[in-house]
Amino acid sequence: MAGGIKELTVDLGERSYPILIGPGLLARVGSLFAERGFAVKSPILLITDASVEDLYAGTVEQSLRDKGYTVARAVVPSGETSKSLTVFDDMITACLEAGLDRRSTVIALGGGVVGDLAGFVAATYMRGVRFVQIPTTILAHDSSVGGKVAVNHRLAKNIIGAFYQPEFVMYDLDTLLTLPIREVKAGLSEVVKHGLIWNADFVAWCDDNVDKLLALDPEALGYALYEGCKVKAIVVSRDERENDLRAILNLGHTIGHALEAVAGYGELLHGEAIAIGMVGSARLAGKFGYDPSIEAVTEALFRKIGSPVRIPGHLDVDQIMAAMQHDKKFMEGQMVFVVPTAIGAVEIRHDVPTAWVREIVEGLREGN
Amino acid sequence: MAGGIKELTVDLGERSYPILIGPGLLARVGSLFAERGFAVKSPILLITDASVEDLYAGTVEQSLRDKGYTVARAVVPSGETSKSLTVFDDMITACLEAGLDRRSTVIALGGGVVGDLAGFVAATYMRGVRFVQIPTTILAHDSSVGGKVAVNHRLAKNIIGAFYQPEFVMYDLDTLLTLPIREVKAGLSEVVKHGLIWNADFVAWCDDNVDKLLALDPEALGYALYEGCKVKAIVVSRDERENDLRAILNLGHTIGHALEAVAGYGELLHGEAIAIGMVGSARLAGKFGYDPSIEAVTEALFRKIGSPVRIPGHLDVDQIMAAMQHDKKFMEGQMVFVVPTAIGAVEIRHDVPTAWVREIVEGLREGN
């Protein structure tokens, strides 16, 4: 495509789909729908959140209407609390009220929360309708690619969900310019994660370009998102349903999810929680005898970005440990951890002693 | 398999699975799990309802424990009201509390309600765990085969769901002997449906053997369930995700689902609602100029079984018509009906005038 737009493919046979990254894409949604043969007669539901609605929903809807599509809008509160069965139920009501049929499309316009929620709506409404991801945060470069959709349960995050691939992912870089700096930093954690698991050169590039990334320099940001999405697309193409390889994408997530659950969704941003989790995983690498500089490099990079690297002191260690037992990665009675073996490489370990994890969690708490 | 056990295969490539039909199967669940390599370390959740629990849950659990499996039990109220997001949420809690992991299995022990609910739990808990169907009603010979799982929304039945195939379906004929006669009759409606859409000889056989079927004669019942499941398995094998052919299984369901929704789930049994719906579809066949004897044969057979063939007089026609517009089969602004063209053959019509449907609904109301 023209106009500085990069394109990647998630290769999944007949369910393959493109990721488009570039400026000015929101106004082209209608054309993309028409080019790809989306049914004009079947209504579309645009799901977005209160923060994104005013900024971008109008542009997307106008672009669709210009091509003859009917589109309704459903707005959820901003934040992780919208990934609940209650809000999910409201979205199904919205689908019914908008008259969505089996050939309809659900569009997610927003961050990871909106993408995960809207994706689960698309996966389950009438047993599955078309789904399009329009991420508007840096963090969502991760969640919008790969088809993992889910809502939370009060006892565990992302525990109710599906593998459900979108028709395409459309990343308009212009939408990132309005992000609060805290979300920029949190989003960069997932970008860096893709480097840490797969690509040491990209980690070095991130380290050299932190200033540009924090300043939302379009060229640097476009490159970083492209590289991050590329790692994600490669991994997902090889193991869509997380039978083995895909689990490496969970670097930092065992501890990170537990922190989010115990803090109550919302206090820690997802990117912040997994940044702390990645520091924890790097310490685990040291325990297993890998190069101690892994921890130093990981922590220094997150400090440079301005991500938290310590667990808030008021969170209870027992609660954090208990929350990990409810994690999906807990299998056949054992904790599963992604452990770095070097910068840019990881392994999946099923033999992590609980005592080590507790020691690391205690050691990472602020004040220790 | 030995011991009067019939076996059928639902042919879906690597997702193919067997349907076992015969006496004495409940006590063999543990052996089947072991033979098929189900992980012993991963806990199992048995979902059943209040009517079935006392009769059969103990046998199934003992059989599993004898082979070293850990099994927890979750009991839902009997009836369609358990197919709600609220009860679904409770089942996810039960999965978490029982410590189910990604290699765990959810077993549905009960009728269609339990199967649909438990199947949606299996499809979505941790984005999908193993699923086994142990139907205990005649009606469930339909819902337990083919992988359609779902819960209801207050505005529409089965609107939240997935296509999710079980590992196997196990039909212990002994469990049918305790069925209330009203459920036997309602269940036979779906058996007859499979004849009406695909196999005229089987319709004639049903007509000749109504007395034996109502008396739960084991040989007649085993044959009828085998033939009914066979039609279902053939259709699902050819079109798993209902792109075209599979829709023929919805004979009687457009009107039937609307009747259930308007009556409030529970007043009419599903089999009763679709029996009335099939009579309605047969009238539609007459409107399209097909042999008027289709209606006479259909109605006479359902009368012989003792199924209702008229819409309860207190149900409102406008509400029934409105409910049909929310049906999943309503596509791109048009109602979709399965219309018989002969006994044992149907076609899918997108050109049914709303006025005809209204006339038929009005004509079928008791008192008209």
Side-chain angles (χ1 to χ4, degrees):
Chain A
M1 292 183 76
I5 293 166
K6 297 185 177 77
E7 184 167 345
L8 273 168
T9 300
V10 182
D11 185 3
L12 291 165
E14 58 183 23
R15 281 171 293 106
S16 295
Y17 57 93
I19 306 166
L20 308 172
I21 303 172
L25 283 166
L26 287 188
R28 295 174 56 179
V29 177
S31 306
L32 283 165
F33 269 57
E35 283 163 20
R36 285 160 198 276
F38 284 51
V40 172
K41 282 185 185 170
S42 295
I44 294 164
L45 183 68
L46 178 77
I47 299 183
T48 188
D49 74 15
S51 319
V52 174
E53 179 188 19
D54 288 347
L55 296 168
Y56 309 119
T59 306
V60 173
E61 288 168 0
Q62 192 56 50
S63 160
L64 288 162
R65 289 189 183 120
D66 286 349
K67 295 290 175 181
Y69 292 96
T70 305
V71 53
R73 183 190 300 182
V75 182
V76 301
S78 300
E80 188 80 20
T81 49
S82 282
K83 278 177 63 176
S84 69
L85 278 179
T86 308
V87 176
F88 168 75
D89 193 11
D90 292 343
M91 292 303 100
I92 298 293
T93 307
C95 288
L96 286 163
E97 288 179 350
L100 265 65
D101 64 42
R102 284 178 169 153
R103 289 185 192 152
S104 284
T105 303
V106 172
I107 300 177
L109 174 68
V113 166
V114 165
D116 284 3
L117 170 70
F120 191 57
V121 171
T124 58
Y125 178 71
M126 294 189 172
R127 298 192 180 88
V129 295
R130 287 181 172 213
F131 178 42
V132 166
Q133 285 268 24
I134 309 184
T136 61
T137 66
I138 296 173
L139 188 71
H141 89 282
D142 180 54
S143 56
S144 65
V145 175
K148 276 194 177 181
V149 298
V151 295
N152 300 325
H153 181 277
R154 74 189 155 77
L155 297 175
K157 193 172 150 74
N158 289 329
I159 206 76
I160 304 168
F163 290 96
Y164 200 72
Q165 303 296 339
E167 301 290 320
F168 62 85
V169 179
M170 208 199 72
Y171 223 126
D172 187 335
L173 293 174
D174 297 341
T175 62
L176 304 176
L177 301 177
T178 53
L179 281 178
I181 186 67
R182 186 177 168 197
E183 285 195 28
V184 171
K185 292 173 180 176
L188 291 174
S189 302
E190 286 276 15
V191 175
V192 166
K193 183 198 79 178
H194 287 119
L196 287 173
I197 63 174
W198 199 264
N199 187 341
D201 290 344
F202 179 50
V203 175
W205 181 92
C206 287
D207 198 65
D208 289 342
N209 289 275
V210 167
D211 291 345
K212 283 186 187 170
L213 291 170
L214 290 174
L216 300 172
D217 172 84
E219 201 176 323
L221 208 53
Y223 176 77
L225 290 172
Y226 180 84
E227 289 298 320
C229 288
K230 194 163 76 179
V231 172
K232 181 81 183 253
I234 290 168
V235 173
V236 169
S237 296
R238 295 192 192 169
D239 177 26
E240 181 183 9
R241 296 182 73 88
E242 196 163 328
N243 293 314
D244 39 53
L245 181 69
R246 184 167 178 161
I248 69 172
L249 296 170
N250 292 324
L251 179 67
H253 282 59
T254 307
I255 292 173
H257 278 167
L259 296 180
E260 286 180 275
V262 174
Y265 301 130
E267 181 191 327
L268 278 174
L269 297 178
H270 177 65
E272 294 170 345
I274 63 142
I276 301 166
M278 283 188 268
V279 174
S281 305
R283 285 199 181 182
L284 215 40
K287 289 271 192 193
F288 278 111
Y290 295 114
D291 187 344
S293 78
I294 297 170
E295 183 185 342
V297 170
T298 302
E299 184 168 328
L301 180 49
F302 285 123
R303 284 191 188 273
K304 199 164 172 182
I305 289 169
S307 298
V309 292
R310 290 293 176 273
I311 296 171
H314 67 281
L315 300 185
D316 182 75
V317 172
D318 288 336
Q319 285 187 34
I320 295 168
M321 295 302 297
M324 273 185 246
Q325 320 274 315
H326 274 145
D327 196 274
K328 290 191 297 301
K329 292 173 282 302
F330 192 81
M331 180 106 69
E332 293 182 2
Q334 288 198 299
M335 286 209 240
V336 182
F337 270 87
V338 184
V339 178
T341 56
I343 295 294
V346 292
E347 65 183 5
I348 297 165
R349 305 285 305 220
H350 294 78
D351 58 349
V352 177
T354 306
W356 287 8
V357 180
R358 176 177 281 274
E359 188 189 324
I360 286 170
V361 168
E362 283 173 348
L364 283 176
R365 268 177 88 210
E366 279 168 355
N368 282 334
Chain B
M1 292 181 76
I5 293 166
K6 297 186 177 78
E7 183 167 343
L8 271 168
T9 299
V10 182
D11 184 4
L12 290 166
E14 59 181 24
R15 279 172 294 107
S16 295
Y17 57 93
I19 307 166
L20 309 172
I21 303 172
L25 282 167
L26 287 189
R28 296 175 56 179
V29 177
S31 307
L32 284 165
F33 269 57
E35 284 163 21
R36 284 161 198 275
F38 285 51
V40 172
K41 283 187 185 169
S42 295
I44 294 165
L45 183 70
L46 178 78
I47 299 182
T48 188
D49 74 14
S51 319
V52 174
E53 179 187 18
D54 288 346
L55 296 167
Y56 309 119
T59 306
V60 173
E61 288 167 0
Q62 193 55 52
S63 160
L64 288 162
R65 289 191 183 120
D66 286 348
K67 295 290 174 183
Y69 292 95
T70 306
V71 53
R73 186 191 296 183
V75 182
V76 301
S78 300
E80 187 81 19
T81 48
S82 283
K83 278 177 64 176
S84 68
L85 278 180
T86 307
V87 176
F88 168 74
D89 193 10
D90 293 342
M91 293 302 101
I92 297 293
T93 306
C95 289
L96 286 164
E97 287 178 351
L100 266 66
D101 64 41
R102 285 182 169 149
R103 290 185 192 150
S104 284
T105 304
V106 172
I107 301 178
L109 174 69
V113 166
V114 165
D116 284 4
L117 170 68
F120 191 56
V121 171
T124 58
Y125 178 71
M126 294 191 174
R127 299 194 179 89
V129 294
R130 285 179 174 217
F131 177 44
V132 165
Q133 286 267 22
I134 310 183
T136 60
T137 67
I138 297 174
L139 188 71
H141 89 282
D142 181 53
S143 57
S144 65
V145 175
K148 275 193 178 183
V149 297
V151 295
N152 300 324
H153 181 277
R154 72 188 155 79
L155 295 174
K157 194 172 148 74
N158 290 329
I159 207 77
I160 303 168
F163 291 96
Y164 200 73
Q165 301 296 340
E167 301 290 320
F168 62 86
V169 179
M170 210 200 68
Y171 223 125
D172 187 335
L173 293 173
D174 297 340
T175 62
L176 304 176
L177 302 176
T178 53
L179 281 179
I181 186 67
R182 185 177 168 197
E183 285 195 29
V184 171
K185 292 174 179 174
L188 291 173
S189 301
E190 287 276 14
V191 175
V192 166
K193 183 198 78 178
H194 287 120
L196 287 173
I197 62 173
W198 199 264
N199 186 341
D201 290 344
F202 179 50
V203 175
W205 181 92
C206 288
D207 198 65
D208 288 342
N209 289 277
V210 166
D211 291 345
K212 285 186 185 168
L213 290 170
L214 290 175
L216 299 171
D217 173 85
E219 201 176 326
L221 207 52
Y223 176 77
L225 289 172
Y226 180 84
E227 290 296 322
C229 288
K230 193 163 76 178
V231 173
K232 182 80 184 251
I234 292 168
V235 172
V236 169
S237 296
R238 293 190 194 172
D239 176 27
E240 181 183 9
R241 296 184 72 88
E242 195 161 330
N243 293 313
D244 38 54
L245 180 69
R246 184 167 178 160
I248 69 172
L249 297 169
N250 292 323
L251 178 68
H253 282 58
T254 306
I255 291 173
H257 278 168
L259 295 179
E260 286 180 275
V262 173
Y265 301 131
E267 181 189 329
L268 279 174
L269 297 178
H270 177 65
E272 294 171 345
I274 64 142
I276 300 166
M278 285 188 267
V279 174
S281 304
R283 284 200 182 181
L284 215 40
K287 289 271 191 191
F288 277 110
Y290 296 114
D291 188 343
S293 78
I294 297 170
E295 183 185 343
V297 170
T298 302
E299 183 166 331
L301 179 50
F302 286 121
R303 284 191 186 275
K304 199 166 173 181
I305 289 169
S307 297
V309 292
R310 290 292 178 272
I311 296 171
H314 66 281
L315 299 186
D316 183 75
V317 173
D318 289 335
Q319 284 186 32
I320 295 167
M321 295 302 294
M324 273 186 245
Q325 320 274 315
H326 273 148
D327 197 271
K328 290 189 295 301
K329 293 174 280 302
F330 190 81
M331 181 106 68
E332 293 183 0
Q334 286 199 302
M335 286 209 240
V336 182
F337 269 87
V338 184
V339 177
T341 57
I343 295 295
V346 292
E347 64 181 8
I348 296 165
R349 305 283 307 217
H350 294 78
D351 58 347
V352 177
T354 307
W356 285 9
V357 181
R358 175 176 281 274
E359 188 188 324
I360 287 170
V361 168
E362 282 172 347
L364 282 176
R365 269 177 87 211
E366 278 168 354
N368 282 335

